Amino acid sequence: MQNIQGTCLCEKNHLVIKEYGNFVYSCHCDMCRKMSAGPVMAVDPETSDNIELQLDEASVTYYHSSPEVERAFCSTCGTYLFWHHLTRDHYCMNAELFPDIIKQANFGLQVFYDRKPHYYDFANETKKMSSSWEEI
Ligand SMILES: [Zn+2]
Ligand SMILES: [Zn+2]
């Protein structure tokens, strides 16, 4: 797919992924679960070359969850937009912003699986990685 459009709930912030397939993964880390009331479902468009951010800067809040990572949220509707590793220029985005990806998603990976609390489980057959990036 090309030029895949995404928006936050209030549609003040638009995000475009220039080129992407249908890969979706979940992150079970403590920070993702706390900020979103559950595991984050994410897409991985990689670097800034592959995306176009059309953000309403008055409606975006950046939170540095670690020295090299910022997370962006819509400050009007609260929607989680993306995770950005600043030194690697690596973006991972909220998959649910992109209906065209979700319609045909291939949910193939769960990361930080060792951090997942016991009260939920996905039934999907996926690859599972621990917080030390070893396959479980
Ligand atoms: Zn919004
Ligand atoms: Zn996470």
Side-chain angles (χ1 to χ4, degrees):
M1 284 185 280
Q2 290 183 329
N3 296 318
I4 308 155
Q5 310 283 324
T7 67
C8 62
L9 199 55
C10 74
E11 301 187 349
K12 284 187 175 171
N13 294 297
H14 294 254
L15 304 89
V16 179
I17 301 176
K18 294 179 185 172
E19 181 85 49
Y20 200 72
N22 61 352
F23 172 68
V24 170
Y25 74 96
S26 69
C27 183
H28 301 287
C29 84
D30 302 69
M31 284 193 270
C32 284
R33 286 185 290 104
K34 184 168 269 196
M35 73 172 192
S36 62
V40 162
M41 305 304 288
V43 293
D44 183 0
E46 300 181 357
T47 63
S48 54
D49 294 345
N50 193 33
I51 61 174
E52 197 180 308
L53 300 175
Q54 299 158 357
L55 305 178
D56 172 7
E57 287 298 333
S59 290
V60 178
T61 297
Y62 297 91
Y63 172 67
H64 284 257
S65 56
S66 63
E68 65 279 357
V69 170
E70 66 182 6
R71 293 170 184 259
F73 302 85
C74 176
S75 34
T76 298
C77 68
T79 301
Y80 168 55
L81 301 173
F82 58 79
W83 173 101
H84 180 209
H85 194 289
L86 298 163
T87 50
R88 295 200 313 253
D89 186 34
H90 188 171
Y91 282 84
C92 290
M93 296 180 155
N94 174 354
E96 295 292 337
L97 305 178
F98 301 97
D100 290 341
I101 295 175
I102 292 306
K103 267 188 268 178
Q104 51 186 301
N106 175 22
F107 174 39
L109 174 66
Q110 300 181 61
V111 301
F112 285 83
Y113 193 77
D114 54 336
R115 301 286 180 85
K116 183 187 74 58
H118 293 290
Y119 79 89
Y120 70 81
D121 250 321
F122 293 124
N124 306 60
E125 283 299 319
T126 67
K127 194 170 172 179
K128 298 176 178 77
M129 307 293 283
S130 75
S131 49
S132 53
W133 300 103
E134 289 164 2
E135 199 164 344
I136 297 175

